[in-house]
Each structure stands twice: as C-alpha cells, then as structure tokens.
Amino acid sequence: MVEQLRSMSGEPVERTLAALAAAAARPGAPADSRVQVVDVGGGSGTRAVPLALLGCAVTVVDSSVNALAILHRRAEDAGVAAAVTGIQADADRLDTVVAPGSADLVLCHHLLEQVDDPATVLDRVVGAVRPGGAVSVLVAGRLGAVVSQTLVGRFEQARQVLQDGDGRNGPADPLRRRWDVDTVTALLTAAGLTVQSVTGVGVLAGLVSGAARQAAPGGEAELAALEAAASVHPELLRIAADLHVVARRPA
Ligand SMILES: C[S@@+](CC[C@H](N)C(=O)[O-])C[C@H]1O[C@@H](n2cnc3c(N)ncnc32)[C@H](O)[C@@H]1O
C-alpha cells in the first residue's frame, strides 16, 4: 500500500492526503491492517473514495442522508464499498460514532465554515485521531474572497468580507465564516494540535482571465508552476481561495 500511495498523482490537496496516508501506513503490517481515515463532513466522498482506492479504510461522518447516498453509490461504482463506511451524525457528536484515538488521519474539509461551533467540532476531531496522528483542515480564505469579489465588481461585498469579524459579506452569505492564516492556526492550536503546514489552494490560478490564458499559449504549465510556488509562499498564500492546514495530535 505504501508504494501505491507514494505513486499517487493528482491535485495538491489529494497528493498531500496520499502522502499523509502513506506516512501512517505501517511497513510490514498485515495486509488487512488498513490506514484508518475519518472524513468529517465528507459529503459525497470526493476525498473518501480516492483514499479507499489507495487502500485506506475510510469512515465518512456527515449530517446529510443525500450526501451519504451519493457516497455509497460512488464507492460501489469504484469497487471500494467494503472500505468505505458512511455514518449519519452531526460533527459535534463525532465522539459517539468514532472510537476515541482510533483514526490515523482525520479530514475536516469545508465544514468549519458551516457548523454552529468550530471549536467543539475540532475538539471532537482531536478526540478521534490517535496520538501522533494527522488532521487535515480545509477552510475558505477571507482574503481570497476579498480579492475574488473585487475582481468581479462586488466592491461592497468585498469590503464587508474584509471588515466583518467572521469574514461574511452580510446575512445572505451562504458561509458562516471565513478564515485567515492566523485565525485558523490559532483555532487548531487552541484545540491542542501542532500545526505542521499551511498551504494556499487557488492563490493565483483562479484569478487569471480566459483572455490571459489564451494570450499565453502553452502557458498552462507555467501557470501551474507559478501556482505551486505561490501556494507555499508565506505572504502570497494568504490570499488563497482556500487554506489547507495539516496538523498533528502530539504523540
Ligand atoms: C461544503 S460540503 C464539503 C464536502 C467535502 N468535505 C468537500 O470538501 O468536498 C459540507 C459537508 O458538510 C456536511 N455538514 C454540514 N454541517 C454538518 C454538521 N454539523 N455535521 C456533519 N456534517 C455536516 C454537509 O452535509 C456537506 O456534506
């Protein structure tokens, strides 16, 4: 399984998850001993199924019956139904459906923007991961939203996102909050996690117009290289559309 995981390609978040799962795999362990992944708010399985295909056992905990139905179909179609378990539960009750300290890796992607109390959810996430295990958190970035709203002429909304305490553009904003590098790092640290890396997802590539792409034929590879450099640039990554944080529960 380790070799299979190391050879995985794909977009950056997928590659990071594969590397985390590979690092959790115990060389020489029995063939049926799988890396245990919990995907909280994992929805329809866009992360769960690729990880199951790599040999992980994945439990998706999601409040939506519809999302879990799609997850089961997707897992069956991919031939990994036996490795994917869907559980309908609220994230703040994760401790009632996942054994404490049982997960090698917990994903919490685009969930903290929606829940009542992010600190409670993170407390449950920390309880589910084993000591030394990894946590992958993906959240919407506040500054990325300011830039993207500005570029489409929504100046008032951009200013609201910038100035609002939760990074919202008003009561109709579908997200309850957005994050800065400092605020999401502080949240994870307060939960008892050690932050290992913060990466920007969609720093520059999403800002490039179709006209600019056409004006630079063959420039896609250059743009991808630029995006890869920007995603880890300590100042530039702050304007990413999404912030990806990898953290560990202290051993
Ligand atoms: C924006 S989707 C993200 C799905 C997936 N994690 C991803 O990144 O593609 C949010 C998911 O969280 C689920 N969700 C929202 N609030 C939840 C809660 N309080 N407890 C558990 N799941 C929740 C939704 O049903 C949905 O599937």
Side-chain angles (χ1 to χ4, degrees):
M1 175 189 167
V2 178
E3 288 315 312
Q4 201 180 0
L5 287 168
R6 287 204 174 119
S7 67
M8 184 184 185
S9 61
E11 45 87 23
V13 174
E14 197 166 273
R15 284 201 300 272
T16 300
L17 295 178
L20 289 172
R26 285 166 283 273
D32 61 350
S33 140
R34 292 166 178 262
V35 171
Q36 300 293 315
V37 179
V38 173
D39 190 355
V40 195
S44 58
T46 50
R47 300 293 179 197
V49 169
L51 283 166
L53 280 166
L54 291 172
C56 300
V58 189
T59 302
V60 175
V61 178
D62 199 287
S63 56
S64 163
V65 186
N66 291 342
L68 291 173
I70 298 170
L71 165 74
H72 286 131
R73 260 204 316 278
R74 182 174 274 160
E76 266 172 27
D77 290 349
V80 290
V84 176
T85 306
I87 299 176
Q88 191 201 0
D90 200 280
D92 61 16
R93 292 178 54 77
L94 187 65
D95 53 329
T96 65
V97 294
V98 170
S102 60
D104 297 299
L105 168 63
V106 179
L107 277 53
C108 184
H109 288 189
H110 286 315
L111 175 67
L112 296 178
E113 298 92 331
Q114 304 194 2
V115 297
D116 291 338
D117 181 4
T120 298
V121 170
L122 271 183
D123 179 69
R124 305 296 184 260
V125 164
V126 173
V129 73
R130 66 168 166 78
V135 174
S136 167
V137 172
L138 192 65
V139 291
R142 177 211 295 264
L143 297 183
V146 172
V147 173
S148 61
Q149 297 282 291
T150 302
L151 288 178
V152 296
R154 293 166 57 96
F155 306 129
E156 187 187 342
Q157 288 87 345
R159 183 183 51 74
Q160 283 174 331
V161 171
L162 183 61
Q163 295 180 330
D164 178 71
D166 287 324
R168 304 186 78 204
N169 66 26
D173 192 324
L175 299 188
R176 294 172 77 169
R177 53 192 80 81
R178 293 181 178 80
W179 307 84
D180 301 308
V181 170
D182 297 348
T183 53
V184 71
T185 302
L187 183 76
L188 269 64
T189 304
L193 293 165
T194 304
V195 172
Q196 286 199 317
S197 65
V198 183
T199 310
V201 181
V203 184
L204 297 173
L207 306 178
V208 180
S209 68
R213 282 173 194 265
Q214 281 173 1
E220 286 299 325
E222 273 306 326
L223 180 58
L226 173 63
E227 177 65 29
S231 72
V232 293
H233 188 282
E235 273 100 38
L236 208 44
L237 72 83
R238 293 174 182 271
I239 65 160
D242 293 328
L243 300 171
H244 184 209
V245 189
V246 173
R248 285 207 180 262
R249 179 175 169 182

